[in-house]
Amino acid sequence: MESRIDAALLKAFPWLPQSCLKHQTKFAFKFGHKTVTIDGANVSRSQARADILIFKDKTPLAVLELKRPGLELLPEDGEQGLSYARMLHPRPPLVVVSNGSDQVILETHSGAEWQPQTHSERALGKLMAAAGAIAASDLDHAVEVLLGPGSAVWVDAIRAVTETVLSDMAGDWDEFDRPFVEGFLIPRQATAAVLHEVRRPKRITILEGAALAGKSSVLREVAISQKDADDIAVLFVEADSHGDTGIVETITSILADELGWNVSTDDTRAWLVRMSHKAGHALVLAIDGIGTPRNAVRKDIEELSGNRFGSQLRMILGVDDTVTHRLTMNETGRKATNIGRRASQVKLGLLDHREFGLAVDLLLDLRIGLMNGAKSAAEYRVPWVLRSLVSEIVEDPKHADETLMAGLPPLMGPDLLHKARARFGEHHGIRQGYQALAEAILKDEEEGGRQVATALQSLEAFIVRRRTLLKFMSSGELEQLIEKGFAKHSINDDNESIVVARIPELLASEIALQLADELKERMHDPDEAATWLIGRCARIALGDVIGVQALFDCAALGGSISLNFIEHMLNTKPRVDKLKPGMKLAMSHPDAGRINLTIQGNGKITVEIRGKREVVDFEEFDEGDLYADMESWLILAHLAGYPFILQSSDGSIIGRADQALLMEVGTAPMALRRPVQDIDMNSVQMHDMKGHGSIVCHAAGIIEPITFSLYKFLSSEQEEAEEWIDDAIERKSLPLLVRIDIALLAIMNRESTAAAHWAEAVRRTKVLTAIKEFPQLH
């Protein structure tokens, strides 16, 4: 190449001393807000042309477009060189196109062939002055050429634009109005699924999920992971950041802002048409923030995926799952729209087991660890919850000390609702809609009459029958809530029209506030109030967390919690029932829906799923247990994690109540936790200890609220804790001792050196000795 460059320069500038000519095979220029680098050594395979910058002494003289010998010189070769020259500062006055034998020399300012009367320094001086005064229209044309199908620059330019857009969307951990945190991105399985659809190739790929599920982050991951791809270039488009505009108009604004290309919407549309039919890289529009499909947005998506545009233009649409149906089906719901016929769909849910593990690794890089047991906590699979927790840690001045490592608890309990209030407290529109939703859900459950599938769904998700909800909000208000992605309409297995809340943590907070207000009025009869609260919480999702938060909110409203109330809850103990022939059970499965079971005995069970009935062998059912009335002790398990005292009517202090709750609730002979649908989080290894119930395996870590409350007490109040442990040993309760042991192990693993030494000593000298006294363990 060096010899070919020298030969081309000698032919183009025979009147200049060759010693004053230098060249660079790599040069850069400003393209909008970004710098684009051209590497002439990497000869384009499609154009067989190298781009070289020539200097006379230290002044740019020309852009050399050097083609392979024997290839014809084409007009587009000159266009490419002129576009480079017009973007450079200072601008070289000439463009040379050569294949070694033929050559054309063009004026940068005019694009015409340079044919001076005499080749001289004076003639070059005039060209230099002219080159510095290029019209704006010529610059626009230069940008258009560099963004065109024949250019190698457009891919880098589009990626540079995407980088800027993503950077603008990133902020600090506590800037929740910015969806991203620089340097933090949890890899998602949906990313690979989306890219698979894009490369099929599919013209439209819809990524759907609930509000705050992480759709924007998946599109971000798509863009970042493909920044060096040799087949696609991703342009990230924020559909909701440019007002009430269509997709093409938004892209026009992006190109104008980031690349300085001042073109009309029609020009952009024409550019997209050209790009969509070219060979080489496909242009992928990653379109984020598609809420309610406005006519302009829907029209543009249909047009960009239509026959006028080629298969080299593809789209990924980040869509709330409440919107997908409106995009893909017509108003009757019986026929697919053009978008629906052209699109494939990828669903995005909570973090799965693998994704959670990757999130844990990323947090460790930030010196943040999760305690053993956190993998079984559903709240840690919600991306916005993780960000809220991490923001508090990294913003703490103590986190600046790189010798320290922070730890997140194994479960959140009422803190989950506190985070929701902090995160959404200023969103009055959402709060108002969720207050009505909370009222409707409580009314729906109170009135009864719900069929089995609806009642089962209510235990794991916040749902309400639509006809009930419309008593508390207008249909227009409901539609607004759905359009914003905070609620979703559905038909369940009972053929009931239901509405599902999409931010359960926030709705749980609103339900707790409403229960607290009524609980305050009911406290004149403590026994009746306790029975009422237990019943309400047992039949709704997150009931245990809602119940304890309602107690806190009741106190904050000026109410009082009497000893009789606490005693009534304590006396409502969990119970174990044996499965017996003739029993009929109903359960909900995330894939199969409602399942009806009838125990026949002798290892046989009748299973009915969606009208199909089959008798199967299931010997484990003969020895199986049913757990009932757990809600009261679950609420107390959370409450026991917060120090509080008993006070007599005359104001005198009776003593600590939380320690007594720990002692009593800790004896529960079963895993004291609410089940969740996800098998990975719900499956916990247990030890069946004859005469003592089922005990959580140490390897599972802290997965029960009562064990977490024990951990908080033992780690913070060691002087009182040791005497309390002595009393606990006297209870002769194996479940209580095992829970204490698990809590002490967590202190040994996570706490400061002094606390760890204390926990190790108490565990070795007291707790393990007491556990070994049980004959079943020998």
Side-chain angles (χ1 to χ4, degrees):
M1 179 182 283
E2 294 292 329
S3 63
R4 290 180 57 221
I5 293 171
D6 291 341
L9 293 180
L10 182 61
K11 185 171 183 177
F13 306 108
W15 47 281
L16 288 175
Q18 294 300 297
S19 59
C20 74
L21 298 180
K22 308 293 181 185
H23 65 265
Q24 289 180 191
T25 57
K26 182 180 287 188
F27 58 94
F29 55 83
K30 197 77 171 177
F31 203 154
H33 298 307
K34 287 293 181 179
T35 298
V36 173
T37 299
I38 305 300
D39 190 350
N42 294 328
V43 179
S44 168
R45 292 182 180 178
S46 58
Q47 287 89 20
R49 180 181 62 212
D51 308 303
I52 299 120
L53 182 60
I54 309 301
F55 291 84
K56 179 182 179 293
D57 298 322
K58 295 183 179 180
T59 303
L61 172 64
V63 170
L64 171 61
E65 294 287 301
L66 185 61
K67 300 194 72 172
R68 289 178 185 170
L71 291 182
E72 182 184 359
L73 303 186
L74 301 173
E76 52 261 36
D77 300 324
E79 289 287 337
Q80 177 88 2
L82 287 170
S83 298
Y84 286 145
R86 289 167 178 173
M87 300 298 291
L88 289 165
H89 294 279
R91 294 188 180 105
L94 295 171
V95 172
V96 179
V97 183
S98 173
N99 61 9
S101 57
D102 303 321
Q103 73 173 17
V104 175
I105 302 178
L106 304 173
E107 298 174 353
T108 297
H109 72 285
S110 68
E113 189 171 351
W114 186 45
Q115 295 176 328
Q117 292 180 348
T118 59
H119 295 84
S120 65
E121 295 286 345
R122 183 178 178 184
L124 278 178
K126 289 182 179 180
L127 283 176
M128 191 71 73
I134 289 175
S137 60
D138 292 325
L139 284 177
D140 281 345
H141 181 65
V143 174
E144 182 178 3
V145 170
L146 295 179
L147 289 177
S151 171
V153 174
W154 78 268
V155 172
D156 289 336
I158 289 300
R159 288 171 175 168
V161 170
T162 291
E163 183 181 341
T164 299
V165 173
L166 294 177
S167 178
D168 289 343
M169 296 173 69
D172 292 333
W173 283 95
D174 60 346
E175 293 182 285
F176 296 114
D177 57 337
R178 294 175 180 257
F180 308 138
V181 177
E182 195 67 47
F184 187 85
L185 179 62
I186 301 172
R188 303 298 300 270
Q189 304 273 43
T191 302
V194 166
L195 287 171
H196 173 76
E197 295 300 318
V198 167
R199 287 190 166 101
R200 284 176 55 181
K202 199 71 178 175
R203 296 292 299 278
I204 303 175
T205 302
I206 295 177
L207 172 69
E208 63 169 354
L212 302 176
K215 298 182 293 296
S216 300
S217 292
V218 170
L219 296 184
R220 178 192 184 199
E221 187 184 356
V222 166
I224 292 175
S225 67
Q226 302 305 301
K227 66 179 181 179
D228 297 319
D230 58 7
D231 61 340
I232 63 174
V234 180
L235 176 61
F236 194 103
V237 180
E238 274 192 289
D240 54 357
S241 66
H242 291 264
D244 190 19
T245 60
I247 301 299
V248 177
E249 190 174 348
T250 299
I251 295 173
T252 302
S253 298
I254 293 173
L255 296 177
D257 292 343
E258 302 302 329
L259 297 181
W261 192 22
N262 297 311
V263 293
S264 68
T265 302
D266 288 338
D267 293 330
T268 301
R269 186 174 282 106
W271 173 71
L272 290 171
V273 170
R274 292 196 303 274
M275 300 303 289
S276 68
H277 291 285
K278 67 171 182 55
H281 284 73
L283 175 60
V284 178
L285 306 178
I287 305 173
D288 185 41
I290 298 180
T292 303
R294 305 182 301 271
N295 288 335
V297 172
R298 181 193 294 272
K299 180 180 177 182
D300 279 354
I301 293 172
E302 287 186 353
E303 181 186 11
L304 293 173
S305 61
N307 293 332
R308 182 185 175 196
F309 294 80
S311 62
Q312 290 294 82
L313 177 64
R314 304 164 199 172
M315 288 176 282
I316 308 169
L317 312 179
V319 177
D320 283 349
D321 53 11
T322 57
V323 172
T324 306
H325 185 80
R326 302 184 184 198
L327 272 177
T328 58
M329 302 298 292
N330 69 358
E331 292 183 359
T332 68
R334 296 192 298 268
K335 186 173 72 172
T337 62
N338 287 332
I339 294 173
R341 288 190 288 269
R342 297 164 185 166
S344 60
Q345 297 178 24
V346 174
K347 295 185 181 297
L348 180 68
L350 301 179
L351 299 178
D352 64 18
H353 176 68
R354 176 181 174 276
E355 293 166 344
F356 174 73
L358 294 171
V360 169
D361 292 340
L362 289 172
L363 293 179
L364 287 174
D365 293 339
L366 296 171
R367 291 181 288 109
I368 300 173
L370 277 81
M371 292 177 63
N372 187 21
K375 71 176 184 179
S376 298
E379 54 265 36
Y380 285 136
R381 307 300 177 96
V382 183
W384 79 260
V385 172
L386 276 180
R387 179 170 177 178
S388 294
L389 291 168
V390 174
S391 68
E392 292 185 1
I393 294 174
V394 298
E395 297 298 324
D396 192 316
K398 291 184 290 186
H399 192 255
D401 185 347
E402 295 186 359
T403 65
L404 298 178
M405 183 167 180
L408 291 175
L411 51 91
M412 292 185 64
D415 284 344
L416 178 64
L417 308 195
H418 300 163
K419 294 292 181 294
R421 291 177 182 181
R423 176 69 174 82
F424 302 101
E426 297 181 0
H427 295 265
H428 301 296
I430 304 173
R431 290 284 306 273
Q432 185 176 5
Y434 268 41
Q435 287 167 2
L437 256 177
E439 286 185 83
I441 284 174
L442 290 173
K443 188 67 174 179
D444 212 21
E445 184 275 321
E446 182 181 42
E447 289 181 343
R450 298 180 300 175
Q451 298 184 62
V452 175
T454 305
L456 283 172
Q457 277 185 284
S458 298
L459 296 176
E460 57 206 24
F462 290 111
I463 69 166
V464 60
R465 290 178 291 187
R466 190 175 189 275
R467 63 175 183 266
T468 303
L469 181 56
L470 290 178
K471 298 175 183 177
F472 295 87
M473 65 169 59
S474 68
S475 58
E477 291 171 328
L478 173 57
E479 285 305 307
Q480 284 190 351
L481 207 60
I482 291 174
E483 288 174 1
K484 292 176 180 178
F486 299 119
K488 179 182 179 181
H489 178 260
S490 181
I491 304 292
N492 67 8
D493 287 347
D494 288 332
N495 203 33
E496 284 269 22
S497 177
I498 61 171
V499 175
V500 185
R502 307 305 278 150
I503 308 178
E505 303 83 8
L506 178 61
L507 187 56
S509 169
E510 295 299 332
I511 291 175
L513 286 168
Q514 295 197 22
L515 290 181
D517 192 52
E518 186 169 353
L519 185 63
K520 178 183 175 183
E521 302 302 318
R522 290 175 174 270
M523 274 300 182
H524 63 275
D525 185 341
D527 290 345
E528 188 277 334
T531 300
W532 172 83
L533 181 65
I534 295 167
R536 300 310 310 258
C537 294
R539 295 186 290 273
I540 55 177
L542 294 176
D544 54 332
V545 178
I546 290 172
V548 69
Q549 185 60 49
L551 292 176
F552 294 149
D553 291 337
C554 178
L557 291 171
S560 60
I561 313 298
S562 71
L563 177 59
N564 288 341
F565 179 92
I566 299 294
E567 286 180 339
H568 185 91
M569 294 194 73
L570 269 176
N571 291 333
T572 310
K573 297 182 178 182
R575 73 176 196 272
V576 181
D577 292 336
K578 287 293 180 182
L579 288 167
K580 300 174 184 177
M583 276 188 171
K584 294 183 180 293
L585 311 172
M587 60 185 292
S588 177
H589 189 276
D591 297 322
R594 175 182 167 183
I595 302 175
N596 295 321
L597 307 172
T598 303
I599 310 300
Q600 294 188 353
N602 300 320
K604 302 289 184 181
I605 180 171
T606 300
V607 180
E608 184 179 353
I609 304 176
R610 293 172 179 167
K612 295 183 179 180
R613 182 177 299 178
E614 187 175 351
V615 178
V616 299
D617 293 325
F618 212 132
E619 295 181 1
E620 288 83 354
F621 266 90
D622 282 344
E623 300 296 328
D625 293 330
L626 286 173
Y627 299 115
D629 294 338
M630 296 180 65
E631 206 66 30
S632 180
W633 275 34
L634 277 171
I635 294 172
L636 294 177
H638 289 291
L639 183 63
Y642 299 86
F644 67 102
I645 59 174
L646 292 174
Q647 189 177 25
S648 65
S649 56
D650 62 5
S652 60
I653 303 299
I654 298 175
R656 288 277 293 269
D658 55 304
Q659 294 180 10
L661 290 180
L662 291 170
M663 186 78 70
E664 189 64 32
V665 177
T667 64
M670 74 285 289
L672 202 58
R673 65 192 294 259
R674 268 204 167 208
V676 293
Q677 273 200 334
D678 186 278
I679 294 176
D680 173 54
M681 289 182 281
N682 195 47
S683 299
V684 178
Q685 189 172 357
M686 304 287 295
H687 298 291
D688 186 21
M689 308 301 295
K690 189 174 181 179
H692 300 280
S694 296
I695 300 172
V696 174
C697 178
H698 282 61
I702 297 179
I703 64 167
E704 301 174 281
I706 184 58
T707 310
F708 183 42
S709 293
L710 282 166
Y711 165 82
K712 290 193 287 186
F713 167 61
L714 297 175
S715 61
S716 62
E717 303 185 45
Q718 290 155 22
E719 290 186 7
E720 291 190 41
E722 195 155 347
E723 182 178 347
W724 181 91
I725 288 176
D726 290 336
D727 293 338
I729 291 172
E730 292 300 315
R731 287 292 300 266
K732 303 292 184 182
S733 169
L734 183 58
L736 176 60
L737 290 174
V738 169
R739 289 184 171 108
I740 293 172
D741 195 38
I742 293 173
L744 291 173
L745 278 171
I747 296 172
M748 291 166 57
N749 292 333
R750 289 288 180 187
E751 295 296 324
S752 64
T753 302
H757 284 322
W758 173 84
E760 191 278 330
V762 170
R763 179 174 185 260
R764 174 173 42 83
T765 61
K766 295 187 176 184
V767 177
L768 289 180
T769 300
I771 289 176
K772 289 177 181 177
E773 292 180 2
F774 287 85
Q776 294 88 344
L777 302 181
H778 292 302

